[in-house]
Amino acid sequence: MTETVDHSQEGEATRRDFIHIAAGAAAVGAGVMAAWPLINQMNPAADTLALSTIEFDTSKVMEGMQVVIKWQGKPVFVRHRSAAELQKVRSEGAVGSPPEPDSERVKAGHENMLVVIGSCTHLGCVPTFNAGDFGGWFCPCHGSHYDASGRIRKGPAPLNLVVPDYEFTAGSTVRIG
């Protein structure tokens, strides 16, 4: 008894293959459509995008004082350092983690103005001004000490306070972002 098998259909797409591919494509499309709201919610909110840059007049900050402004939902410290603070942080050289001299953390011509994001690099608490062992900031959450240049000097924080992108635009006006 001999069986005859028709191999003419082998290697060619059949109607059933098309149905399987179309059903798979529809399932993938439905999955993407269902997941889109979840993915889209991860985009920055409109109010955050509106604050992508902010300008601030630093002439309002008196010597030895600090102002906290809000930028992209984060506190930003704008500190007008005194001559004594400048002399102290310059004499210490490159310290912190990573080791940085004060000159790399400020803009030329505006060395007395320091702009840093006011969030401890350990767990994100807001450090208190003019406190700690080094005359800068002290994080009350876990005891990190920063100097007047925002460099970590003692405690669990792994990094210096972050210096955001900023520039002085006209005289004493600083644009952050």
Side-chain angles (χ1 to χ4, degrees), residues 66 77 79 81 85-86 88-107 111-117 129 134-137 145-153 159-164 166:
Q66 160 182 297
F77 298 157
R79 182 174 185 164
R81 301 180 298 177
E85 288 175 319
L86 280 174
K88 184 178 179 186
V89 295
R90 287 179 180 163
S91 68
E92 292 168 342
V95 295
S97 179
E100 292 179 296
D102 182 65
S103 60
E104 289 182 11
R105 299 183 57 78
V106 294
K107 300 294 182 187
E111 288 85 4
N112 60 338
M113 297 303 297
L114 178 70
V115 178
V116 293
I117 295 178
F129 170 64
F134 300 94
W137 292 272
H145 296 256
Y146 298 91
D147 66 9
S149 187
R151 301 173 295 193
I152 184 66
R153 300 298 299 274
L159 300 170
N160 301 329
L161 292 178
V162 176
V163 177
Y166 74 97

Side-chain angles (χ1 to χ4, degrees), residues 39-40 47 65-66 71 79 95 102 105 110 142 149 158-159 170 176:
I39 294 167
N40 194 36
D47 59 341
M65 301 303 292
Q66 160 182 297
W71 172 64
R79 182 174 185 164
V95 295
D102 182 65
R105 299 183 57 78
H110 299 277
H142 299 101
S149 187
L159 300 170
I176 303 170

